[in-house]
Amino acid sequence: MIKKRTGEVIVTNEKQNELLKRLYGTVGGRCLLKVLTLPTVSKAAGAYMDSPLSKPLIEPFIRKNGIDTSQYIMRDFRSYNQFFTRRIKQGKRPIDRTPSHLISPCDSKLSVYRINEESVFRIKGSHYRVKDLLCNGFLARRFEGGYCCIFRLEVDDYHRYCYIDNGSSSDSVFIRGELHTVNPVAMKHYNIYKRNSREYTVLHTENFGDVVQIEVGAMMVGRICNRRVRTFVRGEEKGRFEFGGSTVVLLFERGTILPDSDLLKNTAEGFETVVKYGEKIGIAAK
C-alpha cells in the first residue's frame, strides 16, 4: 500500500501485480523466472532498450502510466533508454539546502525501519540481514541501532538519484547477483535484496555521519550507472538506473538522524510513502 505525504492512499497497478503473482507464485512462473533472470537475458533486453528498435515503446508507455511530460526535458529520443533516463527540468525537483535536513536521494516509495540488534528486516513479507545485503558483517555491525531507509522506484519514477549531503566517498563495491523485480509481490517468494545485483558506497557526510548508499538492480536492469567522484555536494547527481524498477537503500548509524514522524507512522502501518528527489525526510540528530 502507498500513501502520499498528504495522507491520500494511492491505488496500485493491479494488472502488474497479477502478472507478478503468476510469475512468483506458480511453479511455471518460477521456471520462467529462471530464464528471465539470467544475465544474458538481461543484457539482451538492455541492448534492445538501447537500440532505435525500442523507440515505438515510448508513447504507449507515457499514455499507460500517465507521465506528466511537462516536468521533463523532452526531445526526439533515439531509444527507450534515452527516454527512461530523461532529465527533469530545472526547478522541478528543488533541493532542500538546510544543512540539518535529511533529503530523499530520489523519487520513490519510501519505507523507514530501525535496524534491530540482529540486523534483520521484514519488508513486505521478505527477510534479509544487513550483512547479507552488504556481504560485509564488519561494516553491517556499525549500523545496529540506526535506521534503514528503502526507496523503491517504479517504472514511471524519475530514475536519477543524488547525494544527500556534502562529503566524500569511498570506492564503490559491486556485488554480482540475480536480477529480480523489486515489486513487493516478489518479496513474498524471494529475498530479492540479497539476491539482486547491487552496488554500495560509504559516504562520509558533513551532517549525518557515515552513510551507506546501496543501489539495487531489478529485473531487466542490467546497469547501475554511477558517477565516480571522491567529493560531492548535496543534490549533486550520483547516478541513474536504466530500464526497469529499482531501489536505493540508505543505512544510517545510531544517533545520526531523526526520520520525519509521518514516514515512521506510515511504515509501521504497512504503507510506503511517496517522496521526491531533494525533499526533506528527516533531520540530523546532533
Side-chain angles (χ1 to χ4, degrees), residues 99-143:
S100 62
H101 287 183
L102 174 63
I103 64 170
S104 171
C106 56
D107 287 10
S108 65
K109 286 70 184 175
L110 171 61
S111 299
V112 182
Y113 299 90
R114 176 75 76 170
I115 301 172
N116 63 28
E117 292 180 1
E118 293 79 28
S119 298
V120 176
F121 293 91
R122 180 178 176 84
I123 304 173
K124 302 294 185 182
S126 178
H127 295 81
Y128 68 92
R129 300 177 183 177
V130 173
K131 69 177 182 180
D132 295 328
L133 184 61
L134 299 176
C135 291
N136 185 327
F138 177 78
L139 180 60
R141 284 192 292 273
R142 291 180 53 187
F143 296 91

Side-chain angles (χ1 to χ4, degrees), residues 165-176:
D165 197 14
N166 302 340
S168 61
S169 66
S170 65
D171 291 332
S172 294
V173 177
F174 180 75
I175 301 170
R176 194 174 300 279

Side-chain angles (χ1 to χ4, degrees), residues 23 46 52 67 72 87 101 131-132 163 193 209 215 268 283 286:
L23 279 173
I67 293 174
Y72 299 96
R87 290 187 177 276
H101 287 183
K131 69 177 182 180
D132 295 328
Y163 291 102
Y193 290 100
E215 292 85 31
I283 60 171
K286 297 178 181 178

Side-chain angles (χ1 to χ4, degrees), residues 187-229:
M187 297 182 191
K188 296 179 181 178
H189 302 280
Y190 288 95
N191 188 341
I192 60 171
Y193 290 100
K194 181 179 177 182
R195 297 166 67 102
N196 283 23
S197 298
R198 53 208 183 274
E199 184 170 319
Y200 75 83
T201 313
V202 179
L203 308 177
H204 310 293
T205 70
E206 288 184 2
N207 295 287
F208 312 109
D210 283 354
V211 180
V212 174
Q213 180 161 331
I214 310 157
E215 292 85 31
V216 184
M219 186 182 292
M220 302 306 178
V221 181
R223 284 170 292 189
I224 298 167
C225 304
N226 277 324
R227 299 173 62 239
R228 307 299 177 188
V229 298

Side-chain angles (χ1 to χ4, degrees), residues 59-85:
E59 286 301 325
F61 180 85
I62 291 172
R63 291 194 300 270
K64 179 182 177 182
N65 292 285
I67 293 174
D68 180 7
T69 57
S70 68
Q71 295 191 50
Y72 299 96
I73 299 172
M74 301 296 291
R75 53 191 175 86
D76 184 19
F77 297 107
R78 187 185 69 85
S79 67
Y80 182 89
N81 250 342
Q82 278 196 351
F83 160 74
F84 190 76
T85 58

